[in-house]
């Protein structure tokens, strides 16, 4: 196997790995049962802030 073949294989595997990972993340984020958890996390930063960070 030549070096160019290994480089092509590594680049192709990396591309498909990142595409697959992106699809998995998007499915997880837009899954209907996760909506409440993400809404609660988005609102949590605005709740119970009555004093400075220190």
């Amino acid at each position: 196997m030549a070096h160019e073949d290994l480089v092509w294989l590594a680049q192709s595997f990396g591309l498909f790995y990142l595409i697959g990972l992106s699809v998995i993340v998007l499915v997880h984020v837009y899954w209907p049962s996760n909506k409440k958890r993400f809404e609660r996390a988005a609102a949590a930063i605005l709740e119970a802030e009555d004093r400075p960070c220190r």
Side-chain angles (χ1 to χ4, degrees):
M1 212 175 210
H3 179 264
E4 291 83 17
D5 295 335
L6 289 175
V7 169
W8 178 83
L9 183 65
Q11 288 176 345
S12 298
F13 176 75
L15 174 68
F16 292 124
Y17 172 76
L18 290 176
I19 289 173
L21 186 63
S22 299
V23 168
I24 290 170
V25 167
L26 285 173
V27 166
H28 175 71
V29 167
Y30 287 107
W31 201 261
S33 64
N34 292 332
K35 183 177 181 180
K36 289 181 184 177
R37 181 170 42 169
F38 287 124
E39 286 178 347
R40 189 172 61 243
I45 196 167
L46 302 174
E47 296 174 356
E49 289 293 326
D50 59 349
R51 55 191 162 99
C53 282
R54 294 181 178 197

